[in-house]
Amino acid sequence: MIEMIDVWKTYPNGTEALKGVDITINKSEFVYVVGPSGAGKSTFIKLMYREEKPTKGTIILNGYHVEKMKERQIPKLRRSIGVVFQDYKLLPKLTVYENVAFAMEVVEAPKKHIRNRVMEVLELVKLKNKVRSLPSELSGGEQQRVSIARALVNNPGTMIADEPTGNLDPETSWDIMRIFEEINMRGTTIVMATHNKEIVNTLRKRVVAVEAGRIARDQQRGEYGYED
């Protein structure tokens, strides 16, 4: 479960990115976070995995009080979360297999378990035939699938995706969304910031709209609600 209670975020330049946000996201939910550019979506997402720290308020994620964590504790929080970025953030000199395995190596998983689990998630994202490929040899969609596999490999309770289809063509975007749906059906909570109106309006999920730093709308099976 994810809970934000009266969360505020003010940056050093005086910009108020979030103003008194209250929200609860339950286990196994799929939530789209939408809103105009500059509305506070990215801050909302970054607070969850402690890329940013709230100025005021309480954030509880997977049992951790995120706002109270010391720097040395943050890696433990992030092991319970999978994060998928718009720009993939793959390690360019590592193969597909090595990129995914690296996420398990840093938590000192047993080698035998690493191989079995890496191949399992690569099968889920349909990349078993690309294990020896480097990121530069993959399409954008394939790179994003590697990114999803890496985020998933340690069995996180929650996956946070920040514009995961932002750099992809429409057909590839739908392929990526089908993978996210499969992951969600297996019980993982997904929170996804997106500008993709067609996806939000077709794959109806809970929609949380952020405007001017506040939650303006929170609807089950909601719509995107903004013009392109």
Side-chain angles (χ1 to χ4, degrees), residues 8-213:
W8 296 71
K9 175 63 181 180
T10 304
Y11 286 99
N13 65 1
T15 300
E16 285 189 317
L18 293 181
K19 307 170 188 176
V21 169
D22 289 289
I23 191 169
T24 298
I25 297 171
N26 293 312
K27 180 174 167 48
S28 302
E29 277 201 280
F30 194 131
V31 180
Y32 296 120
V33 182
V34 304
S37 295
K41 296 190 308 299
S42 289
T43 300
F44 181 89
I45 291 290
K46 288 176 179 178
L47 286 171
M48 291 183 186
Y49 60 94
R50 256 300 288 272
E51 181 71 17
E52 298 287 352
K53 188 176 179 180
T55 306
K56 188 176 80 168
T58 300
I59 303 173
I60 302 168
L61 194 155
N62 295 345
Y64 295 100
H65 273 265
V66 177
E67 82 286 353
K68 294 180 180 178
M69 300 187 87
K70 294 180 169 58
E71 290 296 318
R72 68 176 184 273
Q73 298 172 312
I74 294 172
K76 191 173 181 182
L77 165 74
R78 291 181 180 165
R79 287 171 199 158
S80 74
I81 307 169
V83 184
V84 178
F85 301 95
Q86 180 175 346
D87 56 354
Y88 322 133
K89 297 191 184 301
L90 301 177
L91 298 167
K93 295 183 179 180
L94 299 187
T95 65
V96 166
Y97 179 92
E98 290 165 341
N99 262 282
V100 179
F102 182 74
M104 297 188 74
E105 290 164 0
V106 297
V107 300
E108 299 179 345
K111 285 188 177 181
K112 182 179 179 182
H113 181 52
I114 290 175
R115 173 164 180 79
N116 291 341
R117 179 60 180 162
V118 170
M119 296 310 294
E120 183 181 334
V121 294
L122 287 176
E123 183 170 16
L124 173 64
V125 301
K126 299 178 174 59
L127 282 178
K128 279 185 77 173
N129 62 332
K130 299 280 186 176
V131 289
R132 294 185 179 86
S133 299
L134 294 170
S136 60
E137 299 169 326
L138 304 176
S139 68
E142 288 170 334
Q143 289 185 64
Q144 190 60 291
R145 283 191 268 158
V146 178
S147 169
I148 292 169
R150 181 185 58 191
L152 185 64
V153 75
N154 283 321
N155 290 301
T158 302
M159 284 187 73
I160 296 169
D162 194 358
E163 301 285 355
T165 63
N167 290 337
L168 306 176
D169 62 75
E171 184 177 349
T172 305
S173 295
W174 283 111
D175 290 339
I176 294 299
M177 289 307 300
R178 280 189 277 272
I179 293 170
F180 275 112
E181 284 214 297
E182 173 69 21
I183 292 167
N184 179 241
M185 285 191 294
R186 295 182 181 204
T188 301
T189 306
I190 294 179
V191 182
M192 179 183 294
T194 184
H195 280 107
N196 195 314
K197 179 179 179 179
E198 184 180 2
I199 283 173
V200 174
N201 289 347
T202 303
L203 302 178
R204 291 295 188 90
K205 311 289 184 185
R206 181 178 173 188
V207 173
V208 173
V210 180
E211 296 178 14

